[in-house]
Amino acid sequence: MELRHLRYFVAVGEEQHYGRAARRLRVAQPALSRQIQDLEEEVDFKLFERLPRGVTLSAAGKLFLEDARRILQEVNEAAARAGRVARGQSGTMRIGFTENSSWRGVVPDSFRRFREQQPNADLQLQPAPSLEQLEAIRAGRLDAGFVNFMPKTDPELQQLSVAIQHVELAVPQRHPLTKLKRLRLRDLMDAPFIWFPRRAAPAFYDRMMHECFRGGLKSPRIVQEGINEATILSLVSTGMGVGWVLGSARWRCPETVVILPVVDLNMPLPLALAWRRDNTSPLLASFIGEVRRLPGVRAVNRG
């Protein structure tokens, strides 16, 4: 039994006339009659009672018509679902992101754009540190991720630069440093620091220490480690010390914290969208395409 047998049967059952059903299906009436005969032979019972003018469904045919309609509807819905996946309009997308990139700019804009363009897709968002994201992307647990500290070359991964972030200083609102018109690294020699642990990003940690040493902050007075930016902001808000954060932190920092640029600290931190080179998901391709079209991403790549 093939799907065309069910389609032909449904047409005859609904029209109760071979000629009208043939015209509806755009097939020759003798061919339609043979298909119905073949179907009746296969199921081994009569589907129709012949009348002088047309046909009527047998008792078994009436029940079979209900099931045939349901089967055809399920097949059509399955084909439509698969088609949406093939066209990148449906399916599941698993995207990672660093928390400090999610408050403003490309990352939240990309999620909004994706939700608008792909309302039928399942968007699963996973906040995680960059190194964890890269591991998850390589292992196939994430389709893509917005990460810092992206290797310049990687045989497994493809990347798209989406933003340049800058390291700035979080200080308590009434701290004396807020009164300086041009804050420099050497001005921080006596400041107590809440500093991120080296294990979180060894290369970045070493680079920060080098830049501080070069600017005159040769031995920062670290009084507490903060595992992430949220922790650093929280501890700074208590007055425990000052801490390094990304400039985007000003969009979510407590009211008692001020974010200040340090004029001689040159620490741009690229943010990239990363994904496996062999990931052929149409939905991923659609997401990457939408990210490429965001104004901020075009500006970054022109630079």
Side-chain angles (χ1 to χ4, degrees), residues 192-208:
F193 269 93
I194 296 102
W195 206 285
F196 58 92
R198 187 177 186 276
R199 65 181 180 279
F204 184 66
Y205 182 99
D206 293 344
R207 185 180 164 202
M208 277 293 304

Side-chain angles (χ1 to χ4, degrees), residues 10-295:
V10 168
V12 177
E14 291 178 346
E15 298 292 343
Q16 297 192 34
H17 192 280
Y18 275 90
R20 290 195 297 270
R23 288 192 293 273
R24 168 175 157 181
L25 294 167
R26 297 183 181 179
V27 297
Q29 183 173 332
L32 175 60
S33 297
R34 285 195 300 271
Q35 294 293 326
I36 297 299
Q37 290 172 5
D38 290 345
L39 180 59
E40 288 181 322
E41 290 177 5
E42 184 168 350
V43 299
D44 198 26
F45 57 79
K46 285 291 183 183
L47 296 168
F48 297 102
E49 301 294 341
R50 273 65 178 175
L51 302 174
R53 301 176 69 86
V55 294
T56 186
L57 286 161
S58 67
K62 290 178 181 178
L63 182 62
F64 193 61
L65 179 62
E66 294 178 7
D67 288 335
R69 284 171 169 159
R70 175 181 54 78
I71 291 168
L72 291 175
Q73 181 178 355
E74 290 178 353
V75 169
N76 290 337
E77 290 173 353
R81 287 194 299 270
R84 288 194 294 270
V85 170
R87 295 188 297 272
Q89 297 173 338
S90 185
T92 299
M93 271 288 293
R94 302 159 301 170
I95 303 294
F97 61 95
T98 55
E99 185 185 12
N100 54 24
S101 68
S102 66
W103 291 88
R104 185 178 174 86
V106 168
V107 175
D109 287 350
S110 71
F111 297 155
R112 174 186 54 77
R113 178 77 68 89
F114 182 82
R115 190 74 285 146
E116 292 172 351
Q117 298 295 323
Q118 311 294 348
N120 296 315
D122 179 18
L123 179 61
Q124 298 180 1
L125 303 177
Q126 179 61 54
S130 295
L131 298 183
E132 289 183 17
Q133 285 189 64
L134 291 173
E135 179 183 348
I137 293 168
R138 291 189 177 98
R141 298 191 301 273
L142 286 176
D143 292 299
F146 290 97
V147 299
N148 303 118
F149 320 120
M150 183 69 190
K152 290 184 178 180
T153 59
D154 190 301
E156 290 186 82
L157 302 182
Q158 185 68 282
Q159 62 175 296
L160 171 67
S161 295
V162 299
I164 301 295
Q165 302 169 302
H166 295 274
V167 176
E168 299 188 29
L169 189 71
V171 302
Q173 192 173 40
R174 293 180 176 82
H175 197 282
L177 292 173
T178 61
K179 295 180 171 56
L180 297 179
K181 291 183 178 180
R182 290 173 59 85
L183 180 61
R184 296 181 177 275
L185 286 165
R186 64 172 179 262
D187 298 322
L188 308 177
M189 291 177 58
D190 297 324
F193 269 93
I194 296 102
W195 206 285
F196 58 92
R198 187 177 186 276
R199 65 181 180 279
F204 184 66
Y205 182 99
D206 293 344
R207 185 180 164 202
M208 277 293 304
M209 285 295 188
H210 174 77
E211 287 296 316
C212 288
F213 185 89
R214 181 191 56 78
L217 181 58
K218 296 183 179 181
S219 182
R221 185 159 68 92
I222 300 173
V223 297
Q224 178 63 50
E225 284 191 342
I227 188 62
N228 54 33
E229 192 174 82
T231 303
I232 292 173
L233 287 169
S234 176
L235 295 178
V236 170
S237 73
T238 69
M240 184 182 294
V242 301
W244 299 118
V245 296
L246 294 181
S248 57
R250 59 176 38 90
W251 300 105
R252 56 123 171 203
C253 70
E255 293 182 358
T256 54
V257 174
V258 178
I259 308 300
L260 302 175
V262 179
V263 296
D264 58 344
L265 177 64
N266 182 26
M267 284 291 293
L269 187 61
L271 180 68
L273 177 65
W275 65 93
R276 281 182 64 101
R277 294 179 184 272
D278 60 359
N279 190 332
T280 59
S281 162
L283 198 57
L284 174 61
S286 177
F287 181 78
I288 295 168
E290 292 298 330
V291 172
R292 289 185 188 277
R293 285 187 280 273
L294 290 171

